[in-house]
Every structure is written in structure tokens, then in C-alpha cells.
Amino acid sequence: VLSGCGVYDGTEIHEASAVLVHLSRGGAEVHMYAPDVPQMHVIDHSKGQPAEAESRNVLVESARIARGKIASLAKLTTADHDAVIFPGGFGAAKNLSTFAVDGKDCKVNREVERVLKDFHKAGKPIGLCCISPVLAAKVLSGAEVTVGHEEEEGGKWPYAGTAGAIKELGAKHSHVDTKNKVVTTPAFMCETELHNIFDGIGAMVKNVLKLTGK
């Protein structure tokens, strides 16, 4: 499930690519989805600033990553899939929810909430990375997730504050929540080399596929 195209206003592209590579390596058949809604705003990534008087659609932007093979999130059903994975990027906190603005009091997009609850109820695994675990923390009571460390540690964990917000939502930090079948990895929440992020996402994907029992 994608949230746009670009780390500051959509899906983090490296994370989405890593998820797709590891799913391909694991022999999975992949379908991509995104909500058909306007983005919260558009960021000029060369400046890191909002682009004034510009609007974009989350589904249309996500299609860039999906190479056009994407459908509205409203069409995603548990009956047709064994698992669901949400890459990170600020789109998860801006377009899939209002976490970027409202923190622990955020609202989650109704289709995102439906998907998370449906997969959880069906006992099918849910993978999330970077900031997207806030979605599960908000929607799935008692879910165990990780977004990294609670302390900034001299710049290594620049988004450490997110961990505190997740704790306030009642979620715990872990990597594989076997009870709820929720698998998470910090990805770019940590300032580390790209290959470490790629490997962490690989571990998440591997555990998601393992939990499908196929």
C-alpha cells in the first residue's frame, strides 16, 4: 500500500523498491494499491519546502512507483491476498493518516483502517516500516511495533519522538508480533547506510511471508 511518491509527502521510494525486491526474491505475487485522495500537500524535494498552490493525487503519484500497475485502495480485499505491507515515508503520516499534524490523536484514512482491521481479523500478516507502524498502533489495540529508539542518540535516531507517541497509543516496540501477525522495521527512522535499511526491510518481508504459512 503506497502513499504517494517521495519521502516528504508520499512513499519513501527506496523503501518501496526494497520491499518489492524482497517480495520478488521471496516468490510473491504483488499487487499495489493507494487511496484515491488528494495529498496533504506537495513538497519540493530539492528545497524541502511545500510547493505553494500545487496539489497532487495520492493514487496518481503512487502509480509512478508502481509503473502504472496500481489500483484504488478501496479495491483491496483480504480474500485476494495473503498479506499486506505498508512502506514508510511521510505520506503514511500525512496521506494515510493525520499523524504528522495530530500525533497520537490522529485519524487514519478509512480505507487504510478497513484494510488493517480486515487483515488482522482474518489472521493475515501485516508488514510496516519506517513511520507506517503508527497506523497499526492507532488502529490495532495492543499491537507491538517498532519505529526504532526512544532516544535521539546524537543524531542516529532523528525521529525518536515518534516512539514516544506510539507508546502513548498503547503499542509496544518489537520486530515480530506473532500474536497479531504484525512485522515492523525502522528503515529510515535510523540514520544508517542504505544497505542496512535494505537488509532490515528484507528481514521484515521474510517474516511476513513466513507468517503466511505458504
Side-chain angles (χ1 to χ4, degrees):
V1 176
L2 303 178
S3 61
C5 183
V7 57
Y8 297 122
D9 58 7
T11 300
E12 210 298 319
I13 298 169
H14 295 293
E15 291 180 22
S17 179
V19 168
L20 291 169
V21 169
H22 288 296
L23 283 171
S24 175
R25 183 170 287 150
E29 180 183 347
V30 178
H31 301 114
M32 284 179 267
Y33 300 87
D36 188 0
V37 296
Q39 291 185 184
M40 172 184 152
H41 58 191
V42 178
I43 297 292
D44 178 342
H45 282 70
S46 69
K47 299 176 181 176
Q49 299 293 328
E52 300 297 332
E54 186 173 347
S55 63
R56 298 186 186 185
N57 177 279
V58 175
L59 177 60
V60 172
E61 289 302 294
S62 298
R64 295 175 180 272
I65 297 173
R67 296 170 63 88
K69 296 179 180 180
I70 195 167
S72 170
L73 187 59
K75 297 181 179 179
L76 174 53
T77 66
T78 56
D80 297 328
H81 302 84
D82 298 311
V84 64
I85 293 179
F86 291 78
F90 281 95
K94 293 179 176 180
N95 304 327
L96 303 188
S97 72
T98 63
F99 184 81
V101 176
D102 301 321
K104 66 182 179 63
D105 298 317
C106 68
K107 292 180 173 62
V108 175
N109 172 280
R110 61 191 177 112
E111 289 296 341
V112 172
E113 182 172 1
R114 174 189 64 80
V115 167
L116 287 168
K117 287 182 174 179
D118 285 356
F119 274 81
H120 185 253
K121 184 178 180 181
K124 295 185 174 182
I126 300 165
L128 310 107
C129 57
C130 198
I131 201 168
S132 67
V134 301
L135 304 171
K138 182 68 177 181
V139 171
L140 305 178
S141 178
E144 296 183 358
V145 302
T146 182
V147 291
H149 290 203
E150 295 176 47
E151 301 296 330
E152 191 256 352
E153 294 182 14
K156 185 177 181 183
W157 298 93
Y159 307 108
T162 304
I166 282 182
K167 283 185 72 176
E168 290 189 54
L169 289 171
K172 299 176 182 177
H173 294 289
S174 76
H175 184 66
V176 182
D177 177 354
T178 53
K179 178 183 176 183
N180 291 292
K181 292 191 176 180
V182 174
V183 187
T184 53
T185 186
F188 279 99
M189 297 297 279
C190 177
E191 287 290 331
T192 187
E193 291 80 7
L194 183 58
H195 68 275
N196 291 328
I197 292 165
F198 183 88
D199 291 345
I201 290 172
M204 180 267 287
V205 170
K206 185 175 181 180
N207 280 296
V208 166
L209 294 178
K210 183 179 179 180
L211 285 171
T212 66
K214 296 189 175 182

